[in-house]
């Protein structure tokens, strides 16, 4: 199957950038989604171009359905068919549940879970109609096992596992696969910004004794997007250094 367009939501973050690069290296035309008029976008494009990557930008607030529909229509018309979608956008607003406010709950559920509906809904029928597609949902080890102080994040990331299994069944006969990737603690800028002593405590709980590399998650996504992974669908692939074994 000729590789057309891969759309990566939250494509300019640490993990998103690694996923964009891995898909580009594998022959995809990659569209990195970001917020409209996102200030760091020009700098990100210039930096990645200097590294040899020619990325496209898809502007939309993934919490806004109408913006997502418009983005998909624009990409399909101007760049090409979206044959791969990586739902990677995500935020955290951590607090123990009794102190968590409704805004913290809504922000995380909207960005991490509602966004998957908003972007996938206009894309999936097009994939099914063309007879090929790859949808990859970035969940988390904390969506699989839960995490103290992350009721909102764990709920959203667990929700991704449910929609992955449901959609996989709906489009399996259409040549479209839907899978979830559940990373553990990965050495992105966000994680590396954690105080060193706290980071060391986290690493001490990981059997392999280190943080994951963004490229390791990205390479798994590239594999799932390839023809070689055509018999994998509805799966949750845990990539967490043995932190949680299912």
């Amino acid at each position: 199957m000729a590789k057309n367009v891969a759309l990566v939501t939250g494509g300019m973050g640490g993990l998103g950038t690694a996923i964009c690069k891995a898909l580009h290296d594998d022959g995809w035309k990659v569209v990195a989604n970001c917020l409209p008029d996102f200030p760091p976008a020009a700098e990100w494009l210039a930096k990645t171009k200097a590294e040899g990557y020619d990325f496209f930008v898809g502007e939309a607030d993934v919490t806004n359905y109408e913006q997502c529909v418009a983005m998909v229509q624009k990409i399909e018309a101007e760049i090409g068919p979206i044959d791969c979608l990586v739902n990677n956008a995500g935020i955290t607003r951590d607090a123990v549940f009794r102190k968590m406010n409704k805004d913290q709950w809504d922000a995380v559920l909207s960005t991490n879970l509602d966004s998957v509906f908003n972007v996938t809904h206009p894309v999936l029928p097009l994939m099914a109609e063309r007879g090929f597609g790859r949808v990859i949902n970035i969940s988390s080890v904390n969506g699989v096992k839960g995490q103290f102080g992350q009721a909102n994040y764990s709920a959203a990331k667990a929700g991704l596992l449910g929609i992955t299994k449901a959609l996989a069944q709906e489009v399996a006969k259409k040549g479209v696969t839907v899978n979830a990737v559940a990373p553990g603690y990965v050495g992105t800028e966000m994680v590396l910004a954690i105080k060193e002593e706290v980071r060391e405590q986290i690493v001490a709980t990981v059997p392999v004794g280190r943080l994951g590399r963004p490229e390791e998650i990205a390479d798994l996504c590239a594999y799932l997007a390839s023809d070689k992974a055509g018999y994998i669908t509805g799966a949750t692939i845990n990539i967490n250094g043995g932190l949680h074994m299912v």
Side-chain angles (χ1 to χ4, degrees):
M1 178 77 186
K3 294 181 174 70
N4 289 307
V5 175
L7 170 60
V8 182
T9 68
M12 296 183 185
L15 185 54
T17 297
I19 293 169
C20 286
K21 288 179 177 179
L23 290 169
H24 184 281
D25 289 344
D26 217 22
W28 292 89
K29 287 187 283 187
V30 178
V31 179
N33 153 261
C34 67
L35 289 165
D37 303 315
F38 187 53
E43 181 184 346
W44 183 86
L45 278 172
K47 183 175 184 294
T48 53
K49 190 170 183 61
E51 296 170 345
Y53 294 94
D54 288 310
F55 294 132
F56 299 89
V57 175
E59 292 189 340
D61 180 344
V62 293
T63 69
N64 183 301
Y65 180 73
E66 287 75 21
Q67 287 189 26
C68 293
V69 170
M71 174 181 67
V72 168
Q73 290 174 342
K74 184 176 172 67
I75 293 168
E76 291 264 337
E78 298 180 4
I79 304 172
I82 301 171
D83 284 342
C84 174
L85 168 61
V86 183
N87 286 305
N88 169 71
I91 61 171
T92 56
R93 297 287 185 272
D94 295 351
V96 293
F97 189 68
R98 64 185 177 84
K99 293 184 178 180
M100 183 178 293
N101 61 46
K102 188 67 163 58
D103 287 344
Q104 290 171 310
W105 175 269
D106 288 345
V108 170
L109 269 290
S110 182
T111 301
N112 296 20
L113 184 57
D114 291 351
S115 64
V116 176
F117 176 90
N118 294 341
V119 184
T120 309
H121 194 257
V123 170
L124 199 63
L126 300 174
M127 291 178 170
E129 188 178 309
R130 291 190 286 256
F132 179 86
R134 298 284 188 262
V135 178
I136 302 163
N137 296 322
I138 305 299
S139 180
S140 165
V141 63
N142 293 340
V144 177
K145 73 175 185 63
Q147 177 63 24
F148 183 96
Q150 285 195 322
N152 49 5
Y153 185 82
S154 296
K157 291 299 189 179
L160 284 186
L161 306 184
I163 193 173
T164 294
K165 294 169 187 176
L167 293 184
Q169 294 180 53
E170 292 188 17
V171 294
K173 291 184 179 177
K174 302 290 188 180
V176 181
T177 65
V178 187
N179 291 292
V181 172
Y185 290 98
V186 179
T188 59
E189 286 184 19
M190 185 171 69
V191 172
L192 294 176
I194 297 171
K195 290 180 181 178
E196 187 175 353
E197 59 269 28
V198 177
R199 211 165 61 238
E200 287 174 356
Q201 290 172 0
I202 291 171
V203 170
T205 67
V206 181
V208 301
R210 64 173 176 84
L211 298 173
R213 293 187 291 271
E215 294 76 17
E216 291 173 312
I217 314 303
D219 287 342
L220 174 56
C221 291
Y223 170 72
L224 289 173
S226 74
D227 289 332
K228 295 175 182 177
Y231 204 57
I232 302 173
T233 197
T236 298
I237 301 179
N238 296 289
I239 177 165
N240 59 41
L243 178 63
H244 184 66
M245 303 184 188
V246 182

